[in-house]
Amino acid sequence: MSSYRRWLPALALIVLSLTWGYTWVLAKQGLVYAPPFAFAAERCIGGALALVLALKLMGRPLKLVAPGPTLAIGLTQVAGFMAFQTWALVEGGPGKTAVLIFTMPIWTLLMAWPILGERIKGKQWLAAACTLTGLLLIIEPWDMHSSLFSKFLGLMAALCWGIGTILVKRLRSTQQVDLLALTTWQMILGAGPLILLACVVPERATEWSLPYAGILAFMSIASTAMCWWLWIYILDRVPAWEASLSVLGTPVVAILLSRLTFGEEFKGIEVAGILLIGSGLALLSLLGWAASRRNPAKAIIQKEVQVTS
């Protein structure tokens, strides 16, 4: 039994990467039935309901702590992220969009310096330079015939996710917050602007059908409720650097499935950019691993704080 329990976090990481990776392809298919902003709002509503149900089944309280900061997190990490992410999928392929959005750790690193006072040190600069160079190769600003708009939307989604991450980190540094309750409330509060956007922006009507209901159910229950629960489970049981490194599997799965499903192709320069981004993010995670080995006492304290919250 103890051997089985040791493998649970690794199994959770595999399920998380496969589910989130497949989500990008499924989201592209969902846009056949629904316009982008309506689809984002419907996903958010379904996710919020699934999370509320999960909290109730687990017997955990649905308590709103720090309404102001939670609203800010909902507006950026949910409303902004989902709106730009879904819009980017309309304009571009799932694989490339996933790669751009998963540059989030680097934007978080860069923004943490002026906002949280966390300075970029040593080899972190190398990781940032590697990722940003790869990003430049994918965007190709010198090629005006490429789909710059979809890439811009993908980067905006990554920035919204990064800002939301910074806000969560700042909130948790000052208050004890249950992560699952926080996730639920940010989903509830983030749904409002998306619903408003779907009502205000002229779009075609959603084509409700059995296939679309299935896509929406998967996106709400598996991709949102289950995967957020798995993410919290993983964070409670493995170091933060290991969890961050594991997320790199998501865009890889998205790229492979997008190529198989839609025939999405990548130019040589884009492949080089993807490899540079992956190398930069992997280096960032490995630096976190090295720091945790040098400061085991600090890592234990951070782990205890993570578990209690």
Side-chain angles (χ1 to χ4, degrees):
M1 181 62 73
S2 59
S3 176
Y4 169 73
R5 288 182 180 276
R6 281 201 304 269
W7 285 101
L8 282 178
L11 180 61
L13 290 172
I14 293 171
V15 173
L16 184 70
S17 292
L18 290 175
T19 305
W20 269 354
Y22 180 56
T23 293
W24 292 91
V25 173
L26 204 62
K28 184 75 173 179
Q29 293 174 331
L31 288 167
V32 173
Y33 301 95
F37 298 127
F39 185 40
E42 289 157 7
R43 282 177 57 192
C44 194
I45 293 169
L49 291 174
L51 284 165
V52 169
L53 180 61
L55 275 174
K56 294 298 182 183
L57 291 175
M58 295 169 69
R60 296 167 70 168
L62 181 61
K63 183 180 180 182
L64 176 59
V65 178
T70 304
L71 175 61
I73 293 167
L75 292 176
T76 53
Q77 194 161 255
V78 175
F81 173 74
M82 280 197 175
F84 284 118
Q85 175 211 33
T86 310
W87 196 357
L89 282 172
V90 173
E91 302 292 335
K96 293 175 187 176
T97 303
V99 170
L100 290 172
I101 290 178
F102 274 85
T103 59
M104 179 276 292
I106 289 297
W107 301 118
T108 303
L109 177 70
L110 296 174
M111 289 186 291
W113 188 355
I115 297 174
L116 299 176
E118 297 180 358
R119 297 180 65 85
I120 304 173
K121 300 176 183 178
K123 293 178 182 178
Q124 287 181 331
W125 282 112
L126 178 60
C130 190
T131 303
L132 293 174
T133 302
L135 187 62
L136 194 66
L137 293 179
I138 291 177
I139 294 175
E140 297 179 87
W142 52 84
D143 182 6
M144 299 308 295
H145 298 288
S146 62
S147 54
L148 290 177
F149 187 55
S150 67
K151 295 167 183 176
F152 166 77
L153 293 172
L155 286 179
M156 289 301 296
L159 285 171
C160 285
W161 189 6
I163 292 169
T165 301
I166 293 289
L167 293 174
V168 170
K169 190 170 183 179
R170 188 163 65 177
L171 172 60
R172 294 190 67 216
S173 68
T174 58
Q175 288 185 263
Q176 289 275 331
V177 185
D178 181 275
L179 286 179
L180 189 57
L182 175 62
T183 303
T184 304
W185 275 110
Q186 74 176 30
M187 196 68 62
I188 293 171
L189 295 173
L194 290 173
I195 294 170
L196 180 63
L197 197 60
C199 293
V200 171
V201 176
E203 293 184 313
R204 60 186 173 88
T206 298
E207 299 176 22
W208 290 98
S209 63
L210 195 58
Y212 181 64
I215 290 172
L216 202 58
F218 182 91
M219 300 286 286
S220 300
I221 299 170
S223 179
T224 301
M226 185 192 76
C227 282
W228 273 111
W229 178 79
L230 284 176
W231 180 242
I232 293 167
Y233 172 84
I234 292 164
L235 285 176
D236 279 347
R237 286 158 178 82
V238 303
W241 65 265
E242 188 176 332
S244 300
L245 189 61
S246 71
V247 176
L248 298 182
T250 299
V252 174
V253 173
I255 289 169
L256 293 175
L257 291 178
S258 180
R259 189 176 183 85
L260 289 172
T261 308
F262 303 111
E264 183 181 4
E265 296 183 355
F266 293 83
K267 295 182 290 185
I269 194 170
E270 290 175 326
V271 173
I274 290 169
L275 292 174
L276 280 171
I277 288 174
S279 300
L281 296 179
L283 176 58
L284 194 63
S285 297
L286 290 173
L287 290 174
W289 169 78
S292 68
R293 291 292 296 270
R294 288 194 302 269
N295 302 289
K298 184 177 179 181
I300 291 171
I301 291 172
Q302 289 177 339
K303 176 76 172 174
E304 289 175 349
V305 170
Q306 217 170 42
V307 171
T308 55
S309 61

